[in-house]
Amino acid sequence: MPRFFAMPWMLSAMLVATPTLAGPLRQAAESTSTEAFIEDEPPIAGRVTFNLGGSFIVPIGETSDRFDTGWGFLLGAGYHFTDRFGAFLEYQYSDFDLKDRILQDENVAGDHIMQYGNLNFLFGLLPRGRVGLYLTGGPGLYYRKVEITELAGATLVPVCDPWLLVCYNDVVPVSTVIGSRSSTDFGLNGGVGISYRIYGAMRVYLEARYHYIFGPKFNAIEGTKRADGQYLPINLGLRF
């Protein structure tokens, strides 16, 4: 007889316990499945990161009077000392076309290539959020080459345009002006960027930087001129 009385009691206890345990078990299962699809950003301090991207580059000031808007690409690698502060070495290549009427009464064809390496410092204003905001800037070494491939006319009046890296105070033949010239100079850059974390430490970023290049001096008829350059690249890239 005790066995028959024990069976109903055991069934009753199981029916009461099942709903009680179902809640915690369901929550644990949901928590486990959710965590499997959430990728938190790992600590970035003490890590080496890389970046690559493309650029839309706008000449500024008197540089814009000589060159059309250009394009470029950049590559970089850096080290994060803290979550907020890091240093990066970056290389960028960019290409521009010459404007047609940059010399008075003469049609000109050619292009302008610029390559530079920068040591940039990065300071994160929002370093750990899904959306990040940062400041960046630093010194660099800039190589600029201007190539004139076509010039209308047989002879010219005196031509001195520091931004074309050309300066003749006497009348010269076209063959003297046609050709390529280059200059390597020191410069500075600074800007602001925004990033979005897409997976782990991988982020897509959009930034704008102002570059100022201290160019060589040229002795023109009206006095000394410097071939200083100013550019504003808009960079879209990936940092990982």
Side-chain angles (χ1 to χ4, degrees), residues 30-47:
E30 291 176 353
S31 176
T32 302
S33 62
T34 303
E35 290 175 357
F37 290 96
I38 294 178
E39 178 70 20
D40 292 329
E41 181 177 7
I44 199 168
R47 291 188 59 219

Side-chain angles (χ1 to χ4, degrees), residues 64-79:
S64 66
D65 296 334
R66 279 78 179 175
F67 310 117
D68 290 323
T69 300
W71 63 273
F73 67 87
L74 59 89
L75 304 168
Y79 181 80

Side-chain angles (χ1 to χ4, degrees), residues 187-203:
L188 297 169
N189 82 100
V192 61
I194 186 171
S195 66
Y196 182 80
R197 182 166 61 86
I198 54 178
Y199 184 80
M202 184 178 295
R203 288 177 174 269

Side-chain angles (χ1 to χ4, degrees), residues 56-60 63-71 95-100 102 110 112 231:
F56 172 80
I57 308 170
V58 181
I60 299 176
T63 308
S64 66
D65 296 334
R66 279 78 179 175
F67 310 117
D68 290 323
T69 300
W71 63 273
D95 190 285
F96 310 82
D97 288 330
L98 267 63
K99 292 189 174 180
D100 295 335
I102 49 181
H112 167 40
Y231 302 84

Side-chain angles (χ1 to χ4, degrees), residues 3 30 62 71 90 107-108 131-132 148-149 153 162 173 203-204 216 227:
R3 182 181 303 173
E30 291 176 353
E62 293 184 275
W71 63 273
E90 288 188 319
N107 289 321
V108 181
V131 177
I148 298 175
T149 58
R203 288 177 174 269
V204 61

